[in-house]
Amino acid sequence: MKILQPAASQPQARTHVVPQGTVAIIDKQAVAYNLDSLRHRLDQAGRRNGPRLWAVVKADAYGHTLAHVLGGLARADGLAVLELEEAHLCRAMGWRKPILIMHARYTAADLSDPGLAPLHVIVDSEDQLRELETLAQRPGPHAWLRYSGCLNHSGFPARTYRAAYARLHKLLQAGRLSGLGLLQHYARAEEAEHMREERRDFEAVFAGLPGPRCTENSAALLSDPDYAGSGDWVRSGIALYGISPLAGVDGRGLGLLPAMTLSAPIHGVQPLAAGAPLGYGATFQAARDLRVGLVHCGYADGYPRNLVAAGTVLVQGRACRIIGRISMDTITIDLSDIPQAGPGTQAVLWGHEALSIESVALSAGTIPAQLCVGVTGRVPRIAAAA
Amino acid sequence: MKILQPAASQPQARTHVVPQGTVAIIDKQAVAYNLDSLRHRLDQAGRRNGPRLWAVVKADAYGHTLAHVLGGLARADGLAVLELEEAHLCRAMGWRKPILIMHARYTAADLSDPGLAPLHVIVDSEDQLRELETLAQRPGPHAWLRYSGCLNHSGFPARTYRAAYARLHKLLQAGRLSGLGLLQHYARAEEAEHMREERRDFEAVFAGLPGPRCTENSAALLSDPDYAGSGDWVRSGIALYGISPLAGVDGRGLGLLPAMTLSAPIHGVQPLAAGAPLGYGATFQAARDLRVGLVHCGYADGYPRNLVAAGTVLVQGRACRIIGRISMDTITIDLSDIPQAGPGTQAVLWGHEALSIESVALSAGTIPAQLCVGVTGRVPRIAAAA
C-alpha cells in the first residue's frame, strides 16, 4: 500500500499546559493542521480543484466535543453528522456551509427547516425516497444515493440502485432537489485490493449516471490519494483528529497531529514489598520492592480495562508500565525508576508523540476510535491554549 | 460459596414503556427494591440492628445518573462518592444523611464547609493525616482509617496502621473528629477463601482498637452475609443497580432487579443474499439468505465492540444473534425469524430478565460494571415511569 509522505517535514508535536486533574486537552490547531495536511495530499494528486471535504463530526466529534474542534474546521467544505439534532447543533454554533446528515431518519417536515440549509442528506431506503417525493419546499436538500455495496449496512443494492436514482433524478429535474450525488461507504478501506474491488463494483453500478461522487474516507485518502483525489467530495473523520485509520502506522507516521491528549494526576504512591499482591484479583505480585504510582483514571473514565499487551503511561516523558488490574477509578504503574514523580505529577495516558492512542488501542485489542469516543462524561474536555 | 436466597419469591421483572430511540431507562424502584433486598439479607444474619449501609454512587451512580437513582436510595444510611464535587452535588440534590468521600484528595478547608456535614472521609496517606491535624472547625468529619491490605491501592500497611490510628484517636478525644472507624477494601471479595484471609489479616492489625468497622462490599454481602452482618457499616454499589458482583450468577439469580435497561430502535432492514458479506472488514458472510436488522447503537454509545463470544439482542422478547462487526453507530442482527419486526421496533440490548448485562459482559470478555459506566453521553438516561 502506497503511503504518501506529507510535503512538509514531520510536524512539530505541540506541547500543552496541562491542568491538574483527569482531563482531555483538545487542540483545534491540530485539527486545522490535519485538515490542511489532507488537502495537501489531495492537491499532490494533481488536481487544482481537488475534491471538497466533509469533516465528519458525529459522536460529538469522535469524543473530542464539537464545540472545541469547530474552530479548527473552518476550512472544511461541510460537516457530516449522523442525526438531525447534530445538524441543528452545528447551525446553532454558527456553521453556515453545507451539512450532510448521514443516518437520515427524517421526515419531509424535518428537511424543510430553512435554518438547516444548505442541507445534504443520504438516501438509503424506500421510506426516505418516499419522504423526499412528498417534499413541498423548493429546492429541497441535496440528496446522496447510497449504494449498499459490501458493507450492507444500508443503501440500495445493485439491482435497485438505478431505479432509485431515476426517481430522485426526476425530483432534481423538477427543481425539487438542489443536487443528486452517488455515495458509498467501503467495507474494507484499509485493505487496498479489496477497496479497489469495491470501487470497481460501484462504478459498474452507476456507469453513465451523472452527478457528483462521494466514496472516499480517511483510510482511502491516506492509502490511495491518487484515486481519492478524483472524487467530487471526500469524507474524513478519524484522520482529522490526528488518528491513523490504517493498521501498522500511527497518526504521526502519516504526518498528523493528535487532537486529544488524555492525562491524569498521580494521586498517591504506595510502596509494594517483594512478593506483595496489587490490585483487584491480586493478579500482580511484585518480583522486587516497587514504588507504585496510583493514577487517577480508570475504566469509568473510558480507559480500557482489559489490556491484551503491556500497557504504559508517560510520566515526565518516560514510559512507566501499568501493573495490576485497571479498576474503575485507578491505574497502577511502576514508578520505581522515577523517584522525583509523586502525588500531583500529571501522567499522560495517550495523545503524545511518545505514547499514541494507536499504541494504547493495540495494547487493549481495539481500535483508537473506540477509545476516543469512549472517554466518559466524567472527564472534562478542555481547549488547548492557543 | 454460600449464597442466600432472597426471602421473597423471585422478584417480578418490571416492564417499562420504552420511548423510541437509543435510550437507557433508569428504574429507581428497582434500586429501592435491591436496597431492601440487601437489608433483608443482613437482617437474616440475625441482628436486629444490622450494619448501616453506604450506597456507593460514584461515577454518576455507575453510569445510571445520580439524579435518577437518588429517589430509590432514600432508605440508605449514607451515600459514598469518590470526589468532593460529588459530595456537593448530593447535598445540592437534597441528601441530608451522611456522605462518605472515598477518594479523598482534600484540604482542611474543603472539609470545613458546614454544607457538607455530616461528612465522613477516608484517611489513606500521611498527607491526609496532616490535613486533619490542622482542622480548626469542631467537630470535624468522621474519619475512616484505610488499611492497604492486599489491594495496595492506598491506605496504611500493617506496620504504620496503629501509629496512624493513634494520631487520629488523639484528634477524636480532643473533639476534633466526630468519629473514627476502621476500613478496608478487599482485593478478592469474589473468592470466599481469599476474602476470609484478608479479613483475618486486617483483624490482626486492628486488634484491640475501638471504633466502628467498614469492610464489606456487595460481593461480601451476597456471598457471606453471616459475617457481613457483623460489621457496623457496609458498602454496596454494583448490587444496588441490580448487577451481580459474583461470577457465574446474574442479578436475577441473587434476587435483584436491573436498574438500567438499554435499548435502541431498529432503523433499517437489509436483505443479505447467501454468500454476501456484512459490515466493516467483511468479517461475516451469509450462509443463506438473511434478513438483517440495523440497530441504532454502536461502540460510540458504549456498546462493547469486541465480542469474544456470541452476542445477542432481544427483539419482541426473542433473542437475535449479532452478526458482522459492531460499528461506531450500528449493531447488525439476524432478523430472519422475526418477519414482523422492522424499522421502529425497539431492541433491548441489556437489562431484561432474558438478557442480563452480566451475559453481555461475558460475551464481551469484561465485567458488567465496565458496561454500565461506559454508556456514553450520547445515550439519554430516562426515568422509568412509576
Side-chain angles (χ1 to χ4, degrees):
Chain A
M1 191 177 287
K2 176 179 158 192
I3 296 178
L4 278 190
Q5 284 307 309
S9 55
Q10 270 303 322
Q12 282 297 309
R14 284 167 50 80
T15 53
H16 304 297
V17 179
V18 176
Q20 270 289 305
T22 307
V23 63
I25 304 288
I26 308 300
D27 184 0
K28 69 178 177 189
Q29 289 182 254
V31 173
Y33 179 93
N34 297 331
L35 178 60
D36 290 347
S37 170
L38 290 174
R39 284 235 190 262
H40 175 76
R41 282 158 195 275
L42 294 172
D43 289 346
Q44 272 189 307
R47 303 216 332 188
R48 274 292 146 260
N49 294 306
R52 284 187 279 181
L53 191 145
W54 292 114
V56 183
V57 295
K58 64 180 180 168
D60 207 11
Y62 286 49
H64 293 66
T65 64
L66 180 56
H68 282 323
V69 304
L70 201 57
L73 294 172
R75 288 192 288 275
D77 299 293
L79 297 183
V81 297
L82 203 63
E83 311 276 5
L84 193 68
E85 293 74 16
E86 293 173 282
H88 283 290
L89 212 57
C90 293
R91 292 294 181 223
M93 290 184 190
W95 184 260
R96 293 287 160 255
K97 289 190 268 188
I99 293 176
L100 170 65
I101 301 181
M102 298 192 293
H103 174 55
R105 290 300 101 183
Y106 46 73
T107 63
D110 291 334
L111 303 182
S112 301
D113 184 336
L116 287 177
L119 184 67
H120 293 230
V121 295
I122 289 179
V123 182
D124 58 18
S125 71
E126 175 63 29
D127 284 354
Q128 289 167 28
L129 262 180
R130 276 199 297 262
E131 282 299 322
L132 288 176
E133 286 172 337
T134 68
L135 261 179
Q137 183 166 329
R138 288 160 189 246
H142 185 300
W144 291 92
L145 185 61
R146 173 152 36 199
Y147 176 52
S148 60
C150 282
L151 187 61
N152 274 311
H153 269 194
S154 53
F156 291 84
R159 113 191 104 69
T160 57
Y161 191 86
R162 296 179 74 93
Y165 181 91
R167 285 166 65 183
L168 289 172
H169 197 252
K170 222 165 120 183
L171 297 181
L172 180 70
Q173 286 184 310
R176 295 170 63 193
L177 290 178
S178 53
L180 172 57
L182 312 154
L183 182 137
Q184 178 181 29
H185 277 86
Y186 297 128
R188 303 172 81 171
E190 299 83 1
E191 300 158 272
E193 275 318 303
H194 288 289
M195 178 173 64
R196 287 186 195 118
E197 245 175 67
E198 292 184 68
R199 274 180 189 144
R200 284 192 294 268
D201 173 35
F202 187 32
E203 282 167 356
V205 168
F206 70 68
L209 300 180
R213 277 180 297 133
C214 179
T215 55
E216 310 301 300
N217 63 5
S218 292
L221 294 187
L222 289 164
S223 63
D224 200 357
D226 289 350
Y227 184 96
S230 70
D232 298 280
W233 282 86
V234 298
R235 304 180 302 273
S236 180
I238 197 78
L240 289 178
Y241 307 106
I243 299 171
S244 170
L246 307 176
V249 57
D250 66 12
R252 185 174 163 78
L254 296 167
L256 304 172
L257 289 173
M260 176 193 287
T261 304
L262 181 68
S263 70
I266 294 171
H267 69 77
V269 167
Q270 192 78 9
L272 194 67
L278 176 68
Y280 289 105
T283 56
F284 179 85
Q285 280 212 325
R288 55 181 179 90
D289 288 1
L290 294 178
R291 186 168 175 263
V292 174
L294 307 164
V295 179
H296 193 28
C297 182
Y299 65 78
D301 300 289
Y303 196 87
R305 178 175 171 273
N306 293 324
L307 299 183
V308 297
T312 58
V313 310
L314 278 186
V315 176
Q316 297 176 342
R318 294 173 63 183
C320 291
R321 67 182 171 135
I322 294 173
I323 53 178
R325 197 177 277 171
I326 286 153
S327 77
M328 192 181 281
D329 310 307
T330 305
I331 300 169
T332 39
I333 60 173
D334 181 359
L335 265 187
S336 306
D337 296 336
I338 313 182
Q340 68 278 21
T345 305
Q346 196 79 2
V348 175
L349 306 184
W350 68 59
H352 186 281
E353 60 181 308
L355 182 59
S356 67
I357 192 171
E358 291 89 340
S359 68
V360 177
L362 209 61
S363 297
T366 187
I367 56 173
Q370 186 179 22
L371 297 186
C372 60
V373 302
V375 175
T376 67
R378 194 162 85 167
V379 180
R381 274 69 158 179
I382 295 181
Chain B
M1 190 178 287
K2 176 178 161 191
I3 295 178
L4 277 190
Q5 285 306 310
S9 54
Q10 270 302 321
Q12 282 297 309
R14 284 167 50 81
T15 54
H16 303 297
V17 179
V18 176
Q20 270 289 305
T22 308
V23 64
I25 305 288
I26 308 300
D27 184 1
K28 70 178 176 189
Q29 289 183 255
V31 173
Y33 179 93
N34 297 332
L35 179 61
D36 290 347
S37 170
L38 289 176
R39 286 233 189 263
H40 176 74
R41 281 159 196 275
L42 293 172
D43 288 347
Q44 272 190 307
R47 301 215 337 188
R48 274 295 143 259
N49 294 305
R52 284 187 279 181
L53 191 145
W54 291 114
V56 184
V57 296
K58 64 179 179 168
D60 208 11
Y62 287 49
H64 293 66
T65 63
L66 180 56
H68 282 323
V69 303
L70 202 56
L73 294 173
R75 288 191 289 276
D77 299 293
L79 298 183
V81 298
L82 204 62
E83 310 277 5
L84 193 69
E85 293 75 15
E86 294 173 282
H88 283 290
L89 213 57
C90 293
R91 292 294 181 225
M93 290 184 190
W95 184 260
R96 292 288 158 255
K97 289 190 268 186
I99 293 177
L100 171 65
I101 302 181
M102 296 192 293
H103 175 55
R105 289 300 100 184
Y106 45 72
T107 63
D110 291 334
L111 304 183
S112 300
D113 185 337
L116 287 177
L119 184 67
H120 292 230
V121 295
I122 288 179
V123 182
D124 58 19
S125 71
E126 176 64 29
D127 284 354
Q128 289 167 26
L129 263 180
R130 276 197 297 262
E131 283 298 322
L132 288 176
E133 286 172 337
T134 68
L135 261 178
Q137 184 165 330
R138 290 160 188 244
H142 186 300
W144 291 91
L145 184 62
R146 172 148 41 196
Y147 176 51
S148 58
C150 282
L151 187 61
N152 274 310
H153 269 196
S154 54
F156 292 84
R159 116 192 101 69
T160 57
Y161 192 85
R162 296 179 73 94
Y165 182 91
R167 286 166 64 183
L168 290 171
H169 197 252
K170 222 164 121 182
L171 297 181
L172 180 70
Q173 287 185 309
R176 295 169 62 193
L177 290 178
S178 53
L180 172 57
L182 312 155
L183 182 138
Q184 178 179 29
H185 277 86
Y186 296 127
R188 304 172 81 172
E190 299 81 2
E191 300 158 272
E193 275 318 302
H194 289 289
M195 178 172 64
R196 287 186 197 121
E197 243 174 70
E198 292 184 69
R199 273 180 189 145
R200 284 191 294 266
D201 173 35
F202 187 33
E203 282 167 355
V205 168
F206 71 68
L209 300 181
R213 278 180 296 133
C214 178
T215 55
E216 311 301 300
N217 62 5
S218 291
L221 294 188
L222 290 163
S223 64
D224 200 357
D226 289 350
Y227 184 94
S230 70
D232 299 281
W233 281 85
V234 297
R235 306 179 302 273
S236 179
I238 198 78
L240 289 178
Y241 307 106
I243 299 171
S244 170
L246 306 176
V249 57
D250 66 12
R252 186 173 162 78
L254 295 168
L256 304 172
L257 288 173
M260 176 192 287
T261 303
L262 181 69
S263 70
I266 294 171
H267 69 78
V269 167
Q270 193 77 10
L272 194 68
L278 176 69
Y280 289 104
T283 55
F284 180 85
Q285 282 212 323
R288 57 182 177 89
D289 289 1
L290 294 178
R291 185 168 176 264
V292 174
L294 307 164
V295 179
H296 192 30
C297 182
Y299 65 78
D301 300 289
Y303 196 87
R305 177 175 172 273
N306 293 323
L307 298 183
V308 297
T312 58
V313 309
L314 278 187
V315 176
Q316 297 176 342
R318 293 172 62 183
C320 292
R321 66 181 174 139
I322 294 173
I323 54 178
R325 198 177 276 172
I326 286 153
S327 77
M328 193 182 282
D329 310 308
T330 306
I331 299 168
T332 39
I333 59 173
D334 181 0
L335 265 188
S336 306
D337 296 335
I338 313 184
Q340 68 278 21
T345 306
Q346 196 80 1
V348 174
L349 306 183
W350 69 57
H352 186 282
E353 59 182 307
L355 181 60
S356 66
I357 192 170
E358 291 90 341
S359 67
V360 177
L362 209 61
S363 298
T366 188
I367 55 173
Q370 186 178 23
L371 297 185
C372 59
V373 301
V375 174
T376 68
R378 195 163 83 167
V379 180
R381 274 69 159 182
I382 295 182

